[in-house]
Amino acid sequence: MSSVEKSLDYTAGEMMTVTAARALENGTTCFVGIGLPSEAANLARLTHAPDVVLIYESGTLQTRPEVLPLSIGDGELCETALTTVSVPEMFRYWLQGGKINVGFLGTAQIDRYCNLNTTLIGDYTAPKVRLPGGGGAPEIATNAGEVFITLKHSKRAFVDQVDFITTLGFGRDGKGRDGVPNIGKGPTRVITDLCVMKPDPETKELVVVSLHPGVTAEQVQEATGWEIRFAETLENTPEPSARELEVLRALKERTAQAHAGQ
Amino acid sequence: MAEILSLHDAVARYVEDGATVAMEGFTHLIPFAAGHEVIRQGKRDLTLIRMTPDLVYDQLIGAGCAKKVIFSWGGNPGVGSLHRLRDAVEKGWPHKVEILEHSHAAMACAFEAGAAGLPLAVLRGYVGSELPNVNDQIKFIECPFTGERLAAVPSVRPDVSIVHAQKADRAGNVLVEGIVGVQKEAVLAATHSIVTVEEIVDDLDTHTNACVIPGWAIDAIAVAEQGSLPSYAHGYYPRNNRFYKEWDTIARDRDAFTQWIEENVMNAGETA
């Protein structure tokens, strides 16, 4: 069993999910976005954070799905929840009421100040691509204690200026949260398939703090639409463990089986 | 007091051309059968309200029923875009449809304010978002007590709300189980309401804290067995995920869409 970590085989996507999962501490109350955040949050629950509280905007409180939901309102989320509340209650009492530690979001576009766009690509009145819209994200990002973001790294997603700020990171000048009372800290980390980034404490501009194994700074720059900053002491993201990979693969396998043929 | 009507008669009586209509359902219990009846009756110029417009709104828009859509997340959940919505907004087919976009929190609060008889909803919302730049129904007000800047949106007060539920008793009391979304708020916020149900029973056979909408708060109950397919009814049948994926192909093409509506809605009768 020596140097197991060097012999493991995993994909960049698995690296991303495991790293995102590790960001969630046990006991955290997490408002979970669908897709990559949901995968990471459930992996956390099934590994190091059995008491993480997962909440979805469909009103499902403290849910423990066996398989990943295809959409935010899957029956699986309700059947395995401690309780299910109405959507107004979800947003008013639980989110706006300050009961959520972490909002875990994905996005279509993100810029250097962590602003998120899920509304459209192009101009609002004549969009090139119309995206689904804000959903719960605008208020999750301001009413949760802090925000984690996970998405795949590409120039299409990491843009110099988002086409539309659906959801506030730190605004177009990095000062969007300054002096605003009663809102959370905002994004504290962004996890991709290449690296981990955190906002600079002063300027709020994203800084790469950790590279995933085998990834170079050039690769990250190549996949980013602005001149990205790197921390002076750049860390190496720890590799996934055998157990994390096993649990993640089993989860995805169960999910694929459950959704096949439906 | 809820009147038990056929789906045809309920829609004919309460959904008028030009009406503001909310057909709610948060992924669960989506009133597809009722939406199809609206299409069959050729209703026009509707302002359609819903937090998460999905396939049934895509169908209503493609069939030419909608003038405007008010929403907070418009997509095919887990699959992608609503192609009929996009075609109507971007290219004006079958005619131009206007959109008014909110966030979930704002719409949930607006439904609740509507149910509470208030003219507006107040929330700690839209901070730093550019949605207020494109939606003139989002304003900001100052709290008279603390001075905090808060978002305000008009309450949702539909002319008619339509929701689907598991069952009603003979007095028209309705039981909603599972993910309850904003269905109760939608019914209570509306001038008129139609609830379609899987079945009518002698006894709701429920517990005291269940989500029950009293019959006297509803105008019409109509039986629509499997009325939320391809979405699901908790305790009755699962979601037809395959159809949600197939819809992506059908809805991409105007002809394929038209043919689908013709075969599955126009010529299918009330059971579609």
Side-chain angles (χ1 to χ4, degrees), chain B residues 17-31:
Chain B
D17 285 353
T20 301
V21 184
M23 298 183 206
E24 268 299 342
F26 205 86
T27 311
H28 176 219
L29 291 174
I30 296 165

Side-chain angles (χ1 to χ4, degrees), chain B residues 163-180:
Chain B
V163 301
H164 188 70
Q166 276 90 353
K167 54 189 174 182
D169 65 19
R170 296 192 190 280
N173 302 305
V174 165
L175 176 69
V176 190
E177 287 183 303
I179 287 170
V180 294

